[in-house]
Amino acid sequence: MQVCTQRYDRRPFGVGLLIAGYDDGEPHLFQTCPSANYFDCKAMALGARSQSARTYLEKHLDDFKTCNLQELIRHGLRALRDTLPNEEDLTTKNCSFAVVGKDQKFKIYDDEAVAPYLAGIEGEERSRRQPPPPDVAMDGEQPADPQPDVNVDERMQLD
């Protein structure tokens, strides 16, 4: 199986991994890519629809330094919840997580072990941005252009 990733005539398998551990008195999180690159991360999400989770993690990254374990788990669950479609919720059937740290062995939480943590974020509003309201013309007026006299290329740079 390794031969497939070492020869140029074949594409590598599309697998990315997050590897977490704790050594030398500090936590580590590494992301590995199919291209054989790896990155040391402070927080990361992988997979389909993971961009919203990465956005959540970036937004709250400074808060993580002062959080206790329970708060960190809730942040992780909120980030994971934001990757789901609006009509789907996190449940004990579609969610699991693992914890590792100083004086704490690697432990996986799944099925009913996740339920108390899901209850901790139940009822909270998702942090996903809502689409902006459409410009509605009133009394026959034309809606105002939010950035008048700017061509498309300049508008993209402004965003």
Side-chain angles (χ1 to χ4, degrees):
M1 191 162 155
Q2 182 67 22
V3 174
C4 295
T5 63
Q6 293 176 339
R7 292 190 182 155
Y8 182 72
D9 61 335
R10 297 183 187 209
R11 291 182 63 192
F13 294 106
V15 176
L17 297 173
L18 290 178
I19 302 167
Y22 191 92
D23 68 351
D24 297 330
E26 60 184 33
H28 296 281
L29 178 65
F30 293 98
Q31 173 195 6
T32 65
C33 300
S35 62
N37 292 327
Y38 67 94
F39 305 96
D40 189 1
C41 306
K42 295 185 187 289
M44 179 54 69
L46 293 178
R49 303 177 64 109
S50 64
Q51 181 59 50
S52 57
R54 286 193 302 272
T55 301
Y56 177 91
L57 294 170
E58 279 182 27
K59 183 179 177 183
H60 297 281
L61 188 60
D62 292 334
D63 301 339
F64 298 158
K65 295 175 187 173
T66 59
C67 289
N68 63 33
L69 179 60
Q70 303 303 317
E71 292 169 331
L72 287 172
I73 291 171
R74 283 194 296 271
H75 276 296
L77 291 174
R78 288 180 194 119
L80 185 59
R81 179 186 60 195
D82 286 351
T83 65
L84 296 174
N86 284 334
E87 63 276 357
E88 194 171 333
D89 291 321
L90 273 183
T91 67
T92 58
K93 300 298 179 199
N94 66 2
C95 176
S96 63
F97 62 88
V99 175
V100 65
K102 183 177 181 178
D103 300 326
Q104 184 168 354
K105 291 188 176 190
F106 182 81
K107 182 176 179 185
I108 297 175
Y109 294 80
D110 53 9
D111 297 327
E112 294 308 313
V114 175
Y117 299 100
L118 291 175
I121 65 166
E122 190 174 336
E124 293 180 4
E125 188 173 328
R126 292 184 181 198
S127 64
R128 182 177 295 159
R129 279 195 248 168
Q130 297 298 323
D135 290 332
V136 179
M138 301 179 106
D139 299 328
E141 296 177 10
Q142 292 293 328
D145 185 2
Q147 295 175 341
D149 301 326
V150 177
N151 69 33
V152 173
D153 292 332
E154 290 174 335
R155 188 174 294 173
M156 289 175 61
Q157 291 175 357
L158 292 173
D159 293 340

